[in-house]
Amino acid sequence: MVEELVTAGVALACTGTVYLMAAARVVKQYERGVVLRLGRLASQVREPGFTMIVPVIDRMRKVNMQIVTMPVPAQEGITRDNVTVRVDAVVYFKVVDAADAVIRVEDYRFAVSQMAQTSLRSIIGKSELDDLLSNREKLNQGLELMMDSPAIGWGVTVDRVEIKDVSLPETMKRSMARQAEATRDRRARVINADAELQASRKLAEAAEAMSDQPAALQLRLLQTVVAVAAEKNSTLVLPFPVELLRFLERSGLQAQAQTAAAEAERDGGQRPAPAAPRPSRTAVEHGAEAALPPELADLPPVEDLP
């Protein structure tokens, strides 16, 4: 009798141990347990820690609640300005409702992946090439809104969507390179022209200042000579401006005029008065005729005398 009781106790203990092993479950901190009892969803989602289920009757599915990083395969499409591009992206999403993620969608990962690909193709068709290259932040927000709306019904929320790379055809790359080169060339020419304009204004101001003081031009020339000679050149090219020649010419004329005036003042008191000019023969004759007395004025000319 005792042996039978011992045997029954051992069998019961073994059965209990097997039952506990079959019923015991451990849910990790980043997981939630969804229990289906006879095919129906249990009212409560199992929290992290140790939990028990009814073997054979209950089935528990663990759902990861961490943020999932899913790369989106490169999608080829035509932009609104008729440019063929290949765009790939990455999606960050997480499960917020474990029961909906299990019940409402067969495979929420596959569903999110397909939705991301279709949304990316739609964004490519609605956008222009410049937006894909420079305005990615706005496109990322549009992708997030397009994916988040249906994903909420699956118990999934899209945390973030980022466009990784935009691949362009080689012909488009060469065209963009030529465009960028032309833009840089235009900017360089504008900057050079602006510099020339500013330099011409400064040179005009310098010329106006030197015109008042001609000696400043000579001083500037001497400074240029000093700057060139500092490089220890064997040959020295000295520019000789025309303005300096004019300045020297004016200085020489002024010196001659001053010398002539000084000599005239010095010799003015020593020289005798100039003699009166001798009258000409015709003037003498006319003067003689004018000096004849009235009684001789009526005589005939010498040629008419016999």
Side-chain angles (χ1 to χ4, degrees):
M1 185 66 182
V2 177
E3 293 178 358
E4 293 177 357
L5 292 175
V6 172
T7 303
V10 172
L12 184 61
C14 292
T15 303
T17 302
V18 173
Y19 178 82
L20 289 174
M21 293 177 62
R25 294 290 188 274
V26 176
V27 180
K28 297 180 181 179
Q29 182 65 38
Y30 55 85
E31 294 177 340
R32 298 296 183 271
V34 179
V35 179
L36 299 176
R37 181 166 296 169
L38 296 177
R40 299 185 64 179
L41 179 64
S43 59
Q44 185 178 4
V45 177
R46 304 299 172 88
E47 296 296 327
F50 180 80
T51 185
M52 297 285 293
I53 62 173
V54 180
V56 183
I57 297 176
D58 293 345
R59 292 185 179 273
M60 187 175 71
R61 183 174 176 180
K62 299 178 182 179
V63 180
N64 194 334
M65 305 296 290
Q66 292 177 317
I67 295 178
V68 181
T69 303
M70 177 179 293
V72 181
Q75 302 297 312
E76 185 173 354
I78 300 177
T79 60
R80 192 166 60 181
D81 49 354
N82 299 324
V83 179
T84 303
V85 296
R86 289 177 60 87
V87 182
D88 57 352
V90 58
V91 181
Y92 301 91
F93 69 94
K94 65 179 179 179
V95 178
V96 294
D97 193 335
D100 290 343
V102 174
I103 301 301
R104 296 188 174 224
V105 64
E106 180 181 3
D107 188 350
Y108 66 89
R109 289 176 178 267
F110 181 74
V112 171
S113 176
Q114 295 301 313
M115 181 177 57
Q117 295 180 29
T118 54
S119 300
L120 185 57
R121 284 179 174 270
S122 179
I123 285 292
I124 293 174
K126 295 179 181 178
S127 305
E128 295 183 355
L129 180 61
D130 294 338
D131 295 333
L132 290 174
L133 296 176
S134 60
N135 197 11
R136 293 188 181 183
E137 190 67 26
K138 183 178 179 181
L139 298 180
N140 294 337
Q141 294 177 0
L143 274 173
E144 183 178 348
L145 292 176
M146 292 178 65
M147 295 179 59
D148 198 25
S149 299
I152 291 177
W154 305 337
V156 177
T157 180
V158 178
D159 187 67
R160 193 173 183 181
V161 183
E162 293 286 346
I163 295 177
K164 292 174 59 179
D165 187 25
V166 179
S167 300
L168 301 176
E170 293 297 328
T171 55
M172 180 57 63
K173 290 181 180 179
R174 289 194 293 268
S175 300
M176 294 178 67
R178 289 195 298 268
Q179 179 183 1
E181 184 177 358
T183 302
R184 289 193 296 268
D185 190 13
R186 178 179 62 85
R187 291 179 181 176
R189 291 184 179 182
V190 170
I191 293 173
N192 190 16
D194 191 12
E196 291 292 338
L197 177 60
Q198 294 180 7
S200 63
R201 290 176 179 175
K202 295 298 182 182
L203 289 175
E205 294 177 1
E208 184 178 358
M210 289 183 179
S211 63
D212 298 335
Q213 297 292 335
L217 183 61
Q218 186 175 3
L219 294 177
R220 183 58 184 167
L221 179 60
L222 294 177
Q223 290 180 357
T224 305
V225 172
V226 171
V228 174
E231 298 180 0
K232 298 180 181 180
N233 295 324
S234 58
T235 303
L236 180 62
V237 178
L238 181 62
F240 205 76
V242 179
E243 288 78 3
L244 185 58
L245 294 176
R246 292 176 181 174
F247 170 72
L248 295 176
E249 182 180 1
R250 289 196 298 268
S251 300
L253 293 176
Q254 292 177 0
Q256 292 178 3
Q258 292 176 359
T259 303
E263 291 179 354
E265 291 178 358
R266 184 182 60 190
D267 300 338
Q270 299 178 1
R271 292 181 180 179
R278 299 180 60 185
S280 61
R281 181 178 181 183
T282 304
V284 171
E285 291 178 354
H286 285 289
E289 292 177 359
L292 290 176
E295 58 273 11
L296 297 179
D298 295 334
L299 293 177
V302 179
E303 291 81 357
D304 296 336
L305 292 177

